[in-house]
Amino acid sequence: MFLIVGYVIILAAALGTYAVHGSLAALWVPMEYIAIVGLTIGGFVASNELKIIKSTIAALPGIFKGSKFTKVLYVDLLAMLFEVLAKVRKEGLMSIENDVENPHDSPIFSKYPVLANDHHVMEFITDYLRMMVGGNLNAIEIENLMDIEIDTHHHEAEMPAHVVSKVGDAVPAFGIIVAVMGVVNVMGSVGEPPAVLGKMIGGALVGTFLGILIAYGFVSPVASLLEQKAQDGAKIYQVIKVVLLASMSGYAPQVAVEFGRKTLASGVRPTFGELEEELKNRKGK
């Protein structure tokens, strides 16, 4: 929503101020638009592998949606981890074996459908719970493995933002290419009257204008939003990591989830009292 609002403000500032002393019709040079769009798409396709192209296109619709990583979701996550760890503390690690192997049939995980339907999150949780059940790795080894996996996930999640940013960096150069082609066209028409030449030169300069406007007014905001989305999605894995490692270090479930709560940003972090109340309420269900 705010992306659209920003685009409107950008267009109003760029075109509105120009319209005060110039004609907007002078900016309408269709072939310049087609050339820049074609060069941009061509550069994007030529510089990326198919899987990167697909992941970038798939990530674009997400910039128009609000974040799913809300306070409610994190409360659910901490409550779910608390239930799992409380079961482990009460009945032993082997008691969660069925939950880990069949998470969709788990009476604990099924209480939290939003989390249960997130394949990557559930895989991350169950994989490390499985290692805990196996008992072959210590907390330091699991922490190192978690860090590597989180870094890999974050790198993949940030790739669309990196790709779009690179495209944005190239668009001004494409604008110059279009402008130069326009100037070449002008040089071939030097015998025309000054009024005609002036119009042709103005049309050529539209390419430079478009390249800069598209790059910094339209593409860069998309890259920034994609980067923010990637960073937003990485936090949930850090919370899971901190909670599970705290449990492996011998802390009680209530303390372990408090470790996780403290890693959250202020905007989505429940207070100690809110989380404690939620855990009490859910414990009674």
Side-chain angles (χ1 to χ4, degrees), residues 257-279:
V257 297
E258 176 61 16
F259 275 47
R261 185 187 73 84
K262 296 296 286 184
T263 67
L264 292 171
S266 58
V268 294
R269 182 198 301 162
T271 65
F272 177 84
E274 287 174 338
L275 181 59
E276 185 177 39
E277 188 65 26
E278 281 289 336
L279 295 180

Side-chain angles (χ1 to χ4, degrees), residues 123-181:
E123 186 177 68
F124 189 83
I125 293 173
T126 55
D127 281 352
Y128 289 104
L129 286 176
R130 189 178 293 110
M131 291 181 188
M132 291 169 63
V133 171
N136 296 322
L137 295 174
N138 59 40
I140 295 176
E141 292 171 325
I142 289 183
E143 181 178 10
N144 289 335
L145 188 56
M146 283 179 169
D147 287 337
I148 293 171
E149 183 170 355
I150 290 173
D151 285 344
T152 301
H153 174 272
H154 193 55
H155 175 74
E156 291 178 347
E158 281 198 324
M159 187 57 67
H162 177 72
V163 167
V164 174
S165 179
K166 287 291 185 182
V167 170
D169 291 341
V171 175
F174 293 148
I176 293 173
I177 290 173
V178 173
V180 170
M181 290 191 297

Side-chain angles (χ1 to χ4, degrees), residues 99-126:
D99 298 289
V100 170
E101 297 301 332
N102 303 289
H104 293 294
D105 299 324
S106 166
I108 295 177
F109 295 141
S110 61
K111 294 180 184 178
Y112 307 93
V114 175
L115 291 166
N117 291 328
D118 191 318
H119 170 73
H120 295 294
V121 169
M122 288 307 302
E123 186 177 68
F124 189 83
I125 293 173
T126 55

Side-chain angles (χ1 to χ4, degrees), residues 62-76:
I63 64 177
F64 297 101
K65 303 175 183 176
S67 175
K68 69 176 183 179
F69 299 100
T70 61
K71 180 188 286 190
V72 173
L73 180 73
Y74 281 117
V75 168
D76 281 348

Side-chain angles (χ1 to χ4, degrees), residues 2-26:
F2 284 106
L3 179 64
I4 303 299
V5 173
Y7 281 171
V8 170
I9 295 172
I10 288 169
L11 287 174
L15 302 183
T17 54
Y18 172 80
V20 173
H21 55 76
S23 172
L24 289 177

